[in-house]
Amino acid sequence: MLSTGFDKREGKIWMDGQLVNWQDSKVHILNHGLHYATSVFEGIRVYNGVPFKLKEHIDRLMHSAVTLGFVLKYSVEDLINATHAVIETNRISNGYIRPIAWLGSESMIIDGAGCAVHFAVAGWQSFEDARSAMREVGARLIVSKWRKPSMDAALHSTKASAIYSMSYMVKNEAKKLGYDDGLMLDGESNITEASTSNFFAIYGEVLRTPVPGCFLNGITRQTIIDIAKQKGIDVEEVDFKVEDLRTADAAFLTGTAIEVMPVQCVSGMRFDINHSMIKLLSEEYRIRASSR
Ligand code: PMP
């Protein structure tokens, strides 16, 4: 069932330097970004009116844009100001911000030469949290049949829309099988990440997470590693495989949207979703995210 579309909402969206009415923020069907995924985006959570890790997200947006060869029309500061304007004008206390940059309609040739680079920042109140139900029972994961492209596919450190067709496939593969998400392996069968989140496993007192190579080194992942180290937890960034999960006590996913999400099972292996380390890390994360 389709819910009321995002295009039908009310409010303002910052588009190429101006706040425009929500329903007027339109692009043409012959748009380079739409056809060839020449676009990059971010996802930011707002807690108590404050966007968490805003500078880090905008820096990553710029890194993604530069990786695609986009000419930057705005500075980091401009986009930070645009984000604050969107939060203020839409009165967002707890919500979600979606900045995006894309190539326009000036050319449909693949090199995009002559295409304008557009920037927009949208944001909305009450980030729908279908995830709170999942948090109670933990995410049920499969191992996806889709493998990560190798390290030399330069887009892994970006949020380029182009790589999200894979996340889309992985998520839908899992859903069709009755699961919540899929873990992707690399070419050597090492665990990488889930469709839109990073992966951690707990072994006794040790927190283990894959070495970022052919997957996004998430801002939440980095925050969790930082919190864990501050709490004196041993953090191992190593390559490991699905069979190594047999001896894990617990596992969880991290991401801006899902925060810290306990994992109930991976391919039938079950884990402790109430593990004390998960509780400690998720509580500390919430405290950091919500403090002004
Ligand atoms: N991997 C992918 C593919 C993602 O889309 C996300 C969400 N941005 C993450 C990991 C987690 O990143 P972050 O913690 O920065 O949200």
Side-chain angles (χ1 to χ4, degrees):
M1 194 177 64
L2 285 176
S3 54
T4 310
F6 269 89
D7 56 340
K8 305 285 187 305
R9 294 182 174 214
E10 299 293 332
K12 301 266 188 204
I13 292 177
W14 184 94
M15 212 170 160
D16 288 325
Q18 284 175 4
L19 287 169
V20 299
N21 286 332
W22 189 282
Q23 295 182 23
D24 296 335
S25 70
K26 293 184 174 158
V27 292
H28 195 269
I29 194 75
L30 293 176
N31 176 291
H32 204 279
L34 177 64
H35 292 255
Y36 308 123
T38 40
S39 56
V40 299
F41 70 99
E42 268 304 318
I44 307 167
R45 282 285 283 274
V46 179
Y47 297 89
N48 301 330
V50 182
F52 185 51
K53 301 271 177 191
L54 177 59
K55 168 89 167 54
E56 287 83 344
H57 283 283
I58 299 296
D59 280 345
R60 188 168 68 187
L61 180 75
M62 296 310 214
H63 162 73
S64 301
V66 167
T67 303
L68 261 70
F70 289 4
V71 177
L72 301 181
K73 270 167 57 180
Y74 301 102
S75 65
V76 168
E77 203 191 347
D78 292 335
L79 291 166
I80 286 178
N81 290 339
T83 305
H84 287 305
V86 164
I87 291 171
E88 204 173 302
T89 191
N90 294 298
R91 297 204 179 88
I92 301 170
S93 51
N94 289 288
Y96 190 75
I97 303 293
R98 169 52 59 90
I100 182 161
W102 71 99
L103 292 191
S105 306
E106 288 77 6
S107 166
M108 289 301 284
I109 296 172
I110 191 64
D111 64 9
C115 280
V117 178
H118 297 281
F119 277 85
V121 181
W124 53 92
Q125 174 66 13
S126 294
F127 181 63
E128 303 101 301
D129 209 357
R131 298 162 183 97
S132 39
M134 195 199 286
R135 208 176 304 285
E136 300 297 311
V137 292
R140 294 158 310 131
L141 307 182
I142 57 160
V143 176
S144 174
K145 67 180 181 193
W146 298 100
R147 296 250 175 171
K148 281 281 186 186
S150 67
M151 291 257 290
D152 48 14
L155 297 179
H156 290 308
S157 65
T158 73
K159 277 181 80 76
S161 304
I163 48 182
Y164 280 83
S165 51
M166 188 156 172
S167 300
Y168 167 89
M169 299 295 280
V170 169
K171 182 79 175 175
N172 280 306
E173 177 194 14
K175 279 175 68 183
K176 271 189 207 130
L177 294 168
Y179 289 83
D180 299 310
D181 207 343
L183 275 185
M184 286 172 272
L185 308 182
D186 68 12
E188 271 83 54
S189 297
N190 294 310
I191 295 170
T192 65
E193 62 176 355
S195 65
T196 54
S197 54
N198 292 121
F199 183 77
F200 287 82
I202 300 172
Y203 294 83
E205 305 292 308
V206 177
L207 185 57
R208 186 183 288 184
T209 192
V211 189
C214 55
F215 65 88
L216 189 73
N217 181 6
I219 293 168
T220 318
R221 175 188 184 277
Q222 295 171 48
T223 308
I224 289 297
I225 290 175
D226 190 45
I227 294 172
K229 287 183 176 164
Q230 266 188 18
K231 295 281 168 194
I233 296 168
D234 225 346
V235 181
E236 275 181 357
E237 290 185 74
V238 288
D239 290 334
F240 58 110
K241 300 196 180 341
V242 172
E243 44 272 34
D244 297 323
L245 293 177
R246 287 208 187 95
T247 52
D249 301 310
F252 61 91
L253 301 170
T254 63
T256 297
I258 64 164
E259 303 170 313
V260 175
M261 176 67 71
V263 170
Q264 183 198 107
C265 59
V266 177
S267 293
M269 287 177 272
R270 294 183 72 88
F271 304 108
D272 176 8
I273 60 164
N274 296 310
H275 195 282
S276 57
M277 198 191 290
I278 301 183
K279 292 232 174 308
L280 173 76
L281 294 172
S282 50
E283 274 160 25
E284 283 297 319
Y285 182 78
R286 267 284 169 149
I287 290 168
R288 277 203 193 186
S290 316
S291 60
R292 286 165 164 269

